Amino acid sequence: LPDGSVLLLDALSRAEGRYFATRREVHLIEGAGFFEVAHDADRPFTVQAGRVRVIVLGTRFGVELTPLAGGGERVAVQVESGRVRVESLDGLPAQDLGAGDSLRLEGAVAAVTSVTPAEAAAWRHGELVFTDATLGEALERLSRYTTTALVATPEAAALALNGRVRVAQASAWLAALPRAMPVRLQPNPAGDG
């Protein structure tokens, strides 16, 4: 970026940046981005993702915006190093996050967990990490890297999932699912999943 900051975008992701004399702003329109922000006390750096604003205090962090099937969105913020402040337009109190913190916001619900530095925006390293996720969320996320849509029945989509997937080995991970979960794989007769 013009100020020396670095923005990496994940597959099927879009962002728009604007720089002003007194502030720097990035709007994450969809997908996920990882930010390495150059410190400039006179021009704060903020990231807007849906109804969440991340105010940077000089750091390396990831932000992911995911639309939810029933409407609304989920925003995840993972801090690799430094500090950020996360504010929600849904009335939740602001949260200060430091290195190793992860915040997941869905509407008026927020949950803070810990991550290792390698898990912050793990897609940068060709991995997806799922913690307290569902199979439906994992398939939706993995779909960014496939040529066909990955879908599940509502019952299968609701199954709890924790784990990690190497994006390059997504086919093998999918093939192994029936051995780990009560599911079976079948091609979509319409040919799109």
Side-chain angles (χ1 to χ4, degrees), residues 12-35:
L12 298 178
S13 299
R14 291 186 305 139
E16 180 179 283
R18 295 182 297 179
Y19 280 65
F20 302 94
T22 59
R23 68 188 190 280
R24 302 169 288 170
E25 300 173 346
V26 172
H27 176 205
L28 182 62
I29 298 166
E30 66 180 321
F34 183 81
F35 301 82

Side-chain angles (χ1 to χ4, degrees), residues 52-97:
V52 172
R53 179 181 307 118
V54 181
I55 302 164
V56 177
L57 309 173
T59 188
R60 292 171 50 93
F61 66 102
V63 178
E64 185 166 346
L65 177 63
T66 306
L68 300 175
E73 62 203 8
R74 177 180 46 254
V75 177
V77 179
Q78 300 168 332
V79 181
E80 182 180 87
S81 64
R83 299 196 61 74
V84 299
R85 170 166 283 192
V86 180
E87 298 175 345
S88 170
L89 301 178
D90 292 320
L92 294 172
Q95 297 267 352
D96 288 341
L97 304 177

